[in-house]
Amino acid sequence: MKFPIVIHSLEKKVEGNVHVDKTDLIYKLVTERHILIKLLRMAMGCEAVEPVKLAAKEWIAVYRQACSQSLSGMIYGVVNRMGGDENMPRPLLFEWICKAESIVGLNTKMNAEAARLTEWFGKRGRMTAILKGQANARLYPHPDERQPGDIDIWVEGGKDSVVKLLTEEGMMDKKATVSYHHVHLPPNNDGISVEVHFRPSSGNNNPFTNRRLQHILENEIKHSEFCPEGFYTPTMRFALLMQMSHIQRHFLSGGIGLRHIVDYFMLMRNSSSADRAFAREHLSECGLDKTAGAVMWLMEELFDMKRDTMIGEPDAYRGRWMLEEILEGGNFGHHSKRRKQGFWHRIFEDQKRNIRLMRFYFWEEFFSVSLFWWHVFKTIPKRIRYRTLSLSRIKEE
């Protein structure tokens, strides 16, 4: 069990930057995360499920950490299986039970909506596949405990054809923003958001590695298979490359959470040696090798994964970097301190982070920063017209 090494490195970082009371700040920043990871390991079958005795304030802290990482359903599941704890405050227990039950119900609705969309597009002659999300949940020991986000469904035909179909059928607003790889549909009556992908992945910032990645994914997604839940899921070969690209893109652009890492662990656990060999063969040409090194280090440190089952060599330098950002920022970096700053301070912190991330992956960040400033200059006339500085208010026409 290697994860205490990670916690120790975080403790050193805290002590090296702030004068702290070990019974206060380090306790909150380190011990609580140590407990969360221990419970997560139990949920993933890396440790035997056994009672954990915590003080009331520790349970409150663990719950907050689990929520920030979108792991509240999984962590409650393992707490429930180990018999709970008499020290957990009753109001917290009731709140956690309600949240866990809502996740179970939402997963049922998500699967039903994914199946409905698959049938709807199928009747119109379109091949589809559910990406990430509900396709990943199927691999979990307890699928209904995974906290879902939205539905990502790939539809064959390319950008123009898919957008035309959705518009003609009244599925999307004619003025809806169409991105490089997908378009958002309005939430349904249950509040479920759907992203319709006409490309299999948002890909890389580097146009050269992105071209190779998209080519491989477009070929591999054609081999998707129908599952008992009523929708098509991509092959493991597709998922290992596509979701590594997804992790890389979000980590560099804003942040990822532990749920992304758990998802990838489930992919690795359910993949064959041939699947992993395929991914390993294409990591470098697809520009994913450095991020894969960080993720493999996390697989080893958090979940005791053996190196002979990995798709790349663990990279401790990038792995520690990734884990520290995950624990500090929460799911998609939404809980990061820089997200709570004012507009100009946030812009400054984001650009400072982008420059720092060049040490993580130079070319991805180089193209990311270049694209950002290209977009800034491109939208100057539009920002003048709308009299706003915020790029988030600018909609593509």
Side-chain angles (χ1 to χ4, degrees), residues 121-133:
F121 282 110
K123 287 180 178 179
R124 289 155 180 79
R126 300 300 179 105
M127 182 187 298
T128 60
I130 299 297
L131 311 175
K132 305 172 293 179

Side-chain angles (χ1 to χ4, degrees), residues 154-172:
W154 169 82
V155 180
E156 72 168 339
K159 178 179 179 178
D160 293 339
S161 176
V162 171
V163 170
K164 180 181 178 182
L165 172 64
L166 294 173
T167 304
E168 290 178 346
E169 295 286 347
M171 293 281 282
M172 62 171 280

Side-chain angles (χ1 to χ4, degrees), residues 139-185:
L139 307 177
Y140 278 62
H142 303 277
D144 55 358
E145 292 178 356
R146 181 189 182 275
Q147 185 169 329
D150 53 19
I151 292 176
D152 295 85
I153 183 169
W154 169 82
V155 180
E156 72 168 339
K159 178 179 179 178
D160 293 339
S161 176
V162 171
V163 170
K164 180 181 178 182
L165 172 64
L166 294 173
T167 304
E168 290 178 346
E169 295 286 347
M171 293 281 282
M172 62 171 280
D173 192 307
K174 292 182 180 180
K175 295 182 179 180
T177 299
V178 180
S179 73
Y180 166 77
H181 65 294
H182 75 320
V183 62
H184 286 270
L185 300 186

Side-chain angles (χ1 to χ4, degrees), residues 225-259:
E225 298 181 350
F226 195 74
C227 68
E229 286 77 6
F231 49 80
Y232 289 88
T233 60
T235 63
M236 279 295 166
R237 294 181 177 191
F238 173 95
L240 287 170
L241 288 176
M242 184 270 181
Q243 293 190 46
M244 184 63 74
S245 171
H246 181 70
I247 287 173
Q248 176 169 283
R249 183 79 173 215
H250 281 288
F251 175 71
L252 295 177
S253 65
I256 60 171
L258 278 175
R259 188 183 61 177

Side-chain angles (χ1 to χ4, degrees), residues 96-109 144 148:
W96 208 340
I97 290 174
C98 290
K99 191 173 186 69
E101 287 300 318
S102 69
I103 289 172
V104 172
L106 183 55
N107 271 301
T108 300
K109 292 178 180 179
D144 55 358

Side-chain angles (χ1 to χ4, degrees), residues 230-288:
F231 49 80
Y232 289 88
T233 60
T235 63
M236 279 295 166
R237 294 181 177 191
F238 173 95
L240 287 170
L241 288 176
M242 184 270 181
Q243 293 190 46
M244 184 63 74
S245 171
H246 181 70
I247 287 173
Q248 176 169 283
R249 183 79 173 215
H250 281 288
F251 175 71
L252 295 177
S253 65
I256 60 171
L258 278 175
R259 188 183 61 177
H260 292 91
I261 303 305
V262 174
D263 275 352
Y264 209 85
F265 175 70
M266 296 311 304
L267 291 178
M268 294 287 290
R269 175 183 276 182
N270 287 273
S271 63
S272 67
S273 57
D275 295 331
R276 295 191 294 273
F278 178 88
R280 187 183 305 115
E281 178 185 352
H282 294 289
L283 282 176
S284 181
E285 66 177 294
C286 293
L288 303 173

Side-chain angles (χ1 to χ4, degrees), residues 360-376:
F360 188 95
Y361 201 158
F362 177 80
W363 285 113
E364 270 300 297
E365 274 305 298
F366 171 81
F367 282 105
S368 174
V369 172
S370 299
L371 288 169
F372 171 82
W373 287 109
W374 173 81
H375 182 67
V376 168

